[in-house]
Amino acid sequence: MTGRMKEGSGSGTAAKGSRKAARPGGRSARVQESVHRAVRELIGERGRDGLTVPLVAARAGVTPSTVYRRWGDLQELLSDVAVERLRPEGAPEDHGSLRADFGAWAEQFLEEMASAAGRAYIRDALAGDPDGGNAGQCSAYAAEQVRILLGRAAGRGETVPELEEAMDVVVAPIMYRILFRPGAETAVGEEQAGPAGAAGSGAGADYARRLVERLLPG
Amino acid sequence: MTGRMKEGSGSGTAAKGSRKAARPGGRSARVQESVHRAVRELIGERGRDGLTVPLVAARAGVTPSTVYRRWGDLQELLSDVAVERLRPEGAPEDHGSLRADFGAWAEQFLEEMASAAGRAYIRDALAGDPDGGNAGQCSAYAAEQVRILLGRAAGRGETVPELEEAMDVVVAPIMYRILFRPGAETAVGEEQAGPAGAAGSGAGADYARRLVERLLPG
DNA sequence: ACCACTGACGCAAAGATTTCGCGTTAAGGT
DNA sequence: ACCTTAACGCGAAATCTTTGCGTCAGTGGT
């Protein structure tokens, strides 16, 4: 990961309240922040397995029943934390053209999402998510980034595809391969790749670039 | 659902051994079949929530420790059952042309996967799947169906796209929308749909057809 | 056909997690 | 400042999960 996603433990100052916003005031916000931080720390120390509600609660300085009442179970709590960490940090870089912008973004997106940590967060986000709200948030994050890319290109006078089409052609295949085809995040059913690694450094960089070229005419 | 996926409780005669095939002989096979059937029955009776390992074990006529030892936890068991139910029943129908074949298949695929039951099974399959083996099996099922479509069209002399490209352009967007964009399985970023429901009956039928047309030239 | 070997199961106790009722605290509004 | 009520802490009860040990049944060899 190069920096699109949150890395450090708790960089933000204010709680976000991704779940129930019924009473987002002082104490509830403190508890949520404390529990989220406990989860992040314990994941770093003991891994996602070996994580239990009583353990998280103890680290956070609350009682287990508080966690159960707010989040229901460990899965939903992990889902909340995962979504928070899958949120992009800033706007995608500007490389002068839609092809370069989108290519670089897709490359980075694939690399981060396909990493062991990224895949774990994606699966956590999906797993404890009855109504699909957290998964929708993840998709909204990516769509927002792509919308910025397209809007920027349109401002340059370039002809740009629809956002929906861009999500279908570039983002969806990346996520599909990560989730359903472990170990196949590279390779695309087209011509042989360039001599060896055209621009990107990672393994699936070529794949990401080729998805972007499938979207853009020319 | 019209019949691509398994519907009834236990139609097959022999156990399949989707997990450990260490000792697939008589008793182990009976236990696996019995536990799987118990899960299917209880899901039908009490829903996926309110399902516990002791409950399943009691229905299956085994002790909870047996379930824990074979599957680890409820999630992995549900993942196994989900993959079994996501397996296609037979070969896709023949409509005379790749466009018609693929369109009809995609339409049916979307309808089944986007249903409440289909989505639940997909999420279960992904959730309890440490190594991604079950998810890979789901993808392999779909890929096999598409491979049949493409091979049949090639036999007719049609020019056909690569399997990988077909998966990227048609299957991936369908699964992405189901997982990450609840309530947005229809609509595509192109021209307005036909007058009103061209051929398919379901809501997302037009979307599936348009994905196929994005893949096929002409 | 018989026998030894080994993986899988049942049973039951120990341990951990999850649920629930009730009193208390503190946020939000008037 | 006072009232209302969502959210929390505490502790007991219920439920689930793990583990050790004896037994049973498939598997392969003779």
Side-chain angles (χ1 to χ4, degrees):
Chain A
M1 306 193 201
T2 39
R4 247 186 23 87
M5 297 191 308
K6 282 190 184 303
E7 283 284 355
S9 50
S11 59
T13 55
K16 170 172 69 77
S18 70
R19 188 153 286 267
K20 333 258 173 83
R23 205 165 184 171
R27 184 167 67 164
S28 292
R30 276 197 303 277
V31 167
Q32 163 152 345
E33 172 57 26
S34 176
V35 170
H36 277 209
R37 175 171 49 241
V39 169
R40 290 192 301 264
E41 290 177 3
L42 287 170
I43 284 179
E45 294 173 18
R46 314 176 50 142
R48 192 159 358 285
D49 307 330
L51 210 67
T52 66
V53 169
L55 197 67
V56 170
R59 172 69 63 104
V62 301
T63 60
S65 62
T66 295
V67 175
Y68 285 117
R69 275 195 256 256
R70 286 258 306 234
W71 284 278
D73 60 8
L74 184 62
Q75 275 198 339
E76 294 189 33
L77 171 58
L78 288 176
S79 181
D80 270 11
V81 174
V83 170
E84 200 172 81
R85 302 207 71 162
L86 290 171
R87 181 175 46 183
E89 289 274 67
E93 308 163 21
D94 192 331
H95 291 84
S97 73
L98 177 57
R99 184 180 305 266
D101 276 9
F102 211 159
W105 179 84
E107 209 175 283
Q108 199 173 359
F109 182 76
L110 169 59
E111 218 168 291
E112 292 175 6
M113 294 297 177
S115 73
R119 288 167 52 158
Y121 283 129
I122 294 168
R123 290 190 8 168
D124 282 348
L126 283 173
D129 195 15
D131 54 354
N134 283 347
Q137 189 58 246
C138 290
S139 179
Y141 287 152
E144 172 60 13
Q145 298 288 98
V146 173
R147 198 188 60 72
I148 292 173
L149 291 175
L150 296 180
R152 188 187 291 160
R156 293 194 196 100
E158 300 186 64
T159 62
V160 302
E162 299 273 346
L163 175 59
E164 294 293 330
E165 189 184 359
M167 296 295 290
D168 283 352
V169 175
V170 177
V171 176
I174 289 174
M175 298 301 278
Y176 181 80
R177 292 209 176 194
I178 290 172
L179 283 174
F180 290 99
R181 304 178 61 186
E185 298 86 9
T186 178
V188 73
E190 289 185 1
E191 76 279 3
Q192 221 69 357
S201 56
D206 289 339
Y207 177 59
R209 294 275 179 180
R210 243 170 283 147
L211 289 176
V212 171
E213 289 180 17
R214 186 180 286 162
L215 172 70
L216 301 177
Chain B
M1 305 195 199
T2 40
R4 244 186 24 84
M5 298 193 306
K6 285 191 179 303
E7 283 284 354
S9 50
S11 59
T13 56
K16 171 170 68 75
S18 70
R19 186 157 287 268
K20 331 260 173 80
R23 203 163 185 171
R27 185 166 68 164
S28 291
R30 277 197 302 276
V31 167
Q32 163 153 343
E33 172 58 26
S34 176
V35 170
H36 277 210
R37 175 171 46 240
V39 169
R40 291 191 300 264
E41 290 177 4
L42 287 170
I43 284 179
E45 293 173 18
R46 313 175 54 141
R48 191 154 2 281
D49 307 329
L51 210 66
T52 68
V53 169
L55 197 67
V56 170
R59 172 68 64 103
V62 300
T63 60
S65 62
T66 294
V67 174
Y68 285 117
R69 274 194 256 257
R70 287 254 310 227
W71 283 277
D73 61 7
L74 183 62
Q75 275 197 340
E76 295 189 33
L77 172 57
L78 288 177
S79 181
D80 269 11
V81 173
V83 170
E84 199 172 81
R85 302 207 71 161
L86 289 171
R87 181 175 47 182
E89 287 272 67
E93 307 164 21
D94 191 333
H95 290 84
S97 75
L98 178 57
R99 183 179 307 265
D101 276 8
F102 211 159
W105 180 84
E107 207 175 284
Q108 201 173 358
F109 182 76
L110 170 59
E111 220 168 289
E112 291 175 7
M113 294 298 178
S115 71
R119 288 168 52 159
Y121 282 129
I122 294 168
R123 290 190 8 169
D124 282 347
L126 284 173
D129 196 14
D131 54 354
N134 282 348
Q137 188 60 245
C138 289
S139 179
Y141 287 153
E144 172 61 14
Q145 299 288 98
V146 173
R147 198 189 59 74
I148 292 173
L149 291 176
L150 297 180
R152 188 188 289 161
R156 292 194 197 100
E158 299 187 65
T159 63
V160 301
E162 299 273 346
L163 175 58
E164 295 292 328
E165 188 183 0
M167 296 295 290
D168 283 351
V169 175
V170 177
V171 175
I174 290 175
M175 297 301 276
Y176 181 80
R177 293 209 176 194
I178 289 172
L179 283 173
F180 290 98
R181 304 179 61 185
E185 298 85 7
T186 180
V188 73
E190 288 186 3
E191 76 278 5
Q192 220 70 357
S201 56
D206 289 339
Y207 177 59
R209 296 275 180 180
R210 243 169 284 145
L211 289 176
V212 170
E213 287 178 19
R214 186 180 286 161
L215 172 71
L216 301 177

